[in-house]
Amino acid sequence: MNILIIGSGGREHVLAWKVKKSPLIEKLYCAPGNAGISEIAECVDIEANDIEGLVKFAKKNKINLTIVGPEAPLVDGIVDRFEKEKLMVFGPSQAAARLEGSKVFAKEFMQRCNIPTAQFRAFEDPSKAREFIQKAHFPLVIKADGLAAGKGVIVCKDIKEADAAISRIMEEKVFKEAGEKIIIEECLVGEEVSILAISDGENYVILQPSQDHKRIFDDDLGPNTGGMGAYCPTPLLDEVSLKKIEARVIEPAIRGMRREGMPFKGVLYAGLMMTEEGPMTLEFNVRFGDPESQVVLPRLKNDLVELMFASCEERLNDIQLIWDKRACVTVVMSSGGYPGEYESGKEIKGLDQFKKDENTIIFHAGTKSEGDKVVTAGGRVLAMTCFGKTMEKAIEDVYKKIEKIKFERCFFRRDIGAKALIIGHRSQAAGHR
Ligand code: AMP
Ligand code: GLY
């Protein structure tokens, strides 16, 4: 089979790495890809949002399955466009992708389906939003309705910050039309967990939960990023709480989308906050998480291509997932300055030394080839990923090896996975009592 992956980040590299293991595959393409992906797939110079260019490529190259990595083309309707041409494509329709494309749609949907989420109000008029914050409790969270590359959520500790957030989103329009509407919601406290489910519109399989690290600095300080590291499995959820989340969040979402005439096919990503009142849904995304996929997919033993075909062909009901018992952790190496301004074009040294190491995979995100060099080309540059017999070993290993990869002004968090050890020890202690 000929397979095309769309996108150019760490998520697309792990997708290519996993797809490449499938015996079903003949030729793998990635548009546009990056330096790491080009070692295992043929990269083609078409941007992820050039839907017509991608359709043309898929037809000409007899692509049997297209896998869409990022959210923007999904929200723009790439799946509908491919299906119109009778091309097989893994991902949700434009209507279903609104679960990520509009936070107002997602929150109102959750309300209709009784899916636990923070209390909220939606506003189209900044003066009404300002009126509301006069009497609100702080802290609260203000969110742009549309896609904002992970930057559209602002936690406000007082009325001054909330007022500034309303101005920035609705009047200065820093996120353009994504900020025509906003959500104002209660601020939740707790640990965050990411759950990815693959659905065929009716049936679904739930991948093992993982934990991302959204903030740029250690101890979850500083601004939000796309994600600075992740680990899987996580001691935050046991079998019982995962079942509860399935019954309260995943199942009602899949059932609700079907009932409302937009069956959800593809990856449903639920971002959850484990609060004292139980798990609350922060958001839905309609694609694999990044960097969550870099720790979840390496542990999945099933053939991903088969799972994706089963999703497209609506036959996920008879699939059982099988997992590697080892722990997996990934640490994102970013360009100094990210998530603010940063420089690109720095040579990356040391990439070849782990190629034969079975416990280590370096997934590329913002990288590109320049002659025989690999240089930085984005905020998040690499995701250094290690397996370990235990989480402790995986973490020890990843931090030993990461020191051997070098580029100018490289930055990474030093505490990825530390929470897994603390929570793990705590629940072990509780078990002994
Ligand atoms: P979202 O794009 O809605 O997931 O928001 C991005 C990040 O903002 C989340 O991963 C959380 O860290 C934070 N966040 C979102 N909603 C809330 C909330 N209601 N309370 C506290 N933090 C939140
Ligand atoms: N790691 C967060 C996301 O993929 O949205």
Side-chain angles (χ1 to χ4, degrees):
M1 283 193 203
N2 298 329
I3 297 199
L4 168 65
I5 296 174
I6 297 174
S8 60
R11 164 184 51 215
E12 287 73 24
H13 193 179
V14 66
L15 283 169
W17 174 88
K18 182 73 182 145
V19 161
K20 194 78 187 192
K21 293 188 182 298
S22 169
L24 297 171
I25 188 153
E26 213 164 287
K27 178 98 194 171
L28 179 61
Y29 297 94
C30 186
N34 61 34
I37 297 174
S38 72
E39 290 179 11
I40 51 173
E42 185 177 326
C43 290
V44 286
D45 195 14
I46 309 174
E47 286 305 315
N49 54 10
D50 178 3
I51 296 182
E52 290 314 313
L54 292 163
V55 167
K56 217 163 117 194
F57 179 85
K59 282 170 96 171
K60 187 164 164 225
N61 292 279
K62 303 203 164 31
I63 299 297
N64 302 97
L65 175 69
T66 298
I67 302 163
V68 189
E71 60 278 14
L74 292 167
V75 170
D76 286 345
I78 192 168
V79 167
D80 310 60
R81 187 65 192 88
F82 268 60
E83 285 180 347
K84 199 169 152 208
E85 301 290 337
K86 306 252 176 310
L87 290 164
M88 183 98 76
V89 54
F90 176 76
S93 66
Q94 184 166 32
R98 272 193 298 167
L99 271 185
E100 178 163 3
S102 166
K103 289 190 190 293
V104 174
F105 171 82
K107 293 291 289 194
E108 289 174 349
F109 172 77
M110 287 188 239
Q111 210 168 32
R112 290 197 292 281
C113 299
N114 264 324
I115 294 173
T117 189
Q119 285 187 31
F120 75 100
R121 291 276 303 271
F123 295 94
E124 285 179 40
D125 176 351
S127 60
K128 292 256 163 60
R130 288 206 167 87
E131 218 172 273
F132 176 80
I133 59 170
Q134 298 297 327
K135 294 184 218 119
H137 291 288
F138 285 88
L140 52 70
V141 183
I142 300 192
K143 302 182 174 187
D145 176 48
L147 295 185
K151 296 186 184 133
V153 174
I154 306 167
V155 179
C156 309
K157 67 173 182 313
D158 54 33
I159 199 161
K160 209 169 132 219
E161 287 186 2
D163 191 83
I166 295 169
S167 293
R168 268 172 63 74
I169 301 174
M170 301 187 94
E171 290 157 354
E172 291 162 38
K173 300 192 194 310
V174 290
F175 306 118
K176 306 207 176 75
E177 64 273 26
E180 274 168 16
K181 294 184 200 164
I182 57 166
I183 292 284
I184 303 186
E185 69 178 32
E186 75 179 301
C187 188
L188 302 173
V189 182
E191 286 295 334
E192 286 184 50
V193 192
S194 305
I195 298 190
L196 308 172
I198 300 180
S199 173
D200 63 9
E202 182 168 6
N203 312 290
Y204 58 83
V205 286
I206 298 186
L207 307 188
Q208 286 204 345
S210 57
Q211 187 175 40
D212 186 10
H213 297 64
K214 291 250 160 71
R215 307 295 191 99
I216 185 73
F217 299 126
D218 286 12
D219 300 322
D220 296 332
L221 297 173
N224 265 332
T225 69
M228 294 302 290
Y231 66 88
C232 178
T234 166
L236 277 165
L237 288 183
D238 55 18
E239 279 294 314
V240 177
S241 29
L242 186 58
K243 280 273 163 224
K244 228 185 250 174
I245 292 169
E246 175 177 357
R248 290 191 191 159
V249 180
I250 308 294
E251 211 216 315
I254 300 293
R255 210 172 344 111
M257 290 299 278
R258 192 173 180 79
R259 192 177 53 238
E260 297 191 7
M262 45 197 151
F264 190 94
K265 284 184 171 189
V267 178
L268 180 68
Y269 162 145
L272 302 164
M273 181 88 89
M274 309 302 289
T275 71
E276 278 186 358
E277 281 78 50
M280 301 284 250
T281 313
L282 292 175
E283 63 168 343
F284 283 121
N285 294 320
V286 299
R287 36 117 191 130
F288 284 104
D290 185 350
E292 290 93 328
S293 306
Q294 286 90 310
V295 289
V296 174
L297 294 179
R299 297 187 60 247
L300 177 69
K301 289 199 167 173
N302 302 62
D303 180 344
L304 187 64
V305 176
E306 236 177 58
L307 277 174
M308 289 176 167
F309 269 108
S311 157
C312 294
E313 294 167 347
E314 297 171 25
R315 51 176 179 78
L316 266 176
N317 47 325
D318 48 32
I319 292 196
Q320 291 289 325
L321 298 185
I322 309 159
W323 294 94
D324 191 324
K325 290 208 164 44
R326 291 175 299 169
C328 192
V329 62
T330 193
V331 178
V332 170
M333 305 176 77
S334 64
S335 299
Y338 172 80
E341 281 183 23
Y342 57 83
E343 289 172 17
S344 289
K346 312 287 183 199
E347 183 180 355
I348 308 171
K349 294 198 179 129
L351 284 169
D352 285 340
Q353 60 196 307
F354 300 113
K355 285 207 164 127
K356 292 207 175 96
D357 179 342
E358 282 182 3
N359 279 326
T360 307
I361 324 163
I362 302 175
F363 293 115
H364 289 222
T367 70
K368 69 174 189 199
S369 307
E370 239 178 43
D372 52 4
K373 289 185 200 160
V374 174
V375 300
T376 64
R380 291 191 290 174
V381 177
L382 300 167
M384 182 85 185
T385 308
C386 283
F387 285 110
K389 238 184 174 159
T390 60
M391 188 59 72
E392 210 157 359
K393 287 227 156 47
I395 294 169
E396 203 183 294
D397 207 29
V398 83
Y399 279 113
K400 207 162 63 198
K401 289 172 177 165
I402 205 166
E403 297 292 346
K404 305 202 163 145
I405 309 288
K406 302 217 184 293
F407 58 90
E408 208 184 302
R409 291 203 63 204
C410 164
F411 175 84
F412 56 87
R413 273 180 65 158
R414 306 234 166 219
D415 65 342
I416 303 298
K419 270 188 247 180
L421 305 184
I422 298 165
I423 301 162
H425 288 153
R426 221 188 283 145
S427 47
Q428 251 176 12
H432 289 312
R433 251 185 254 136

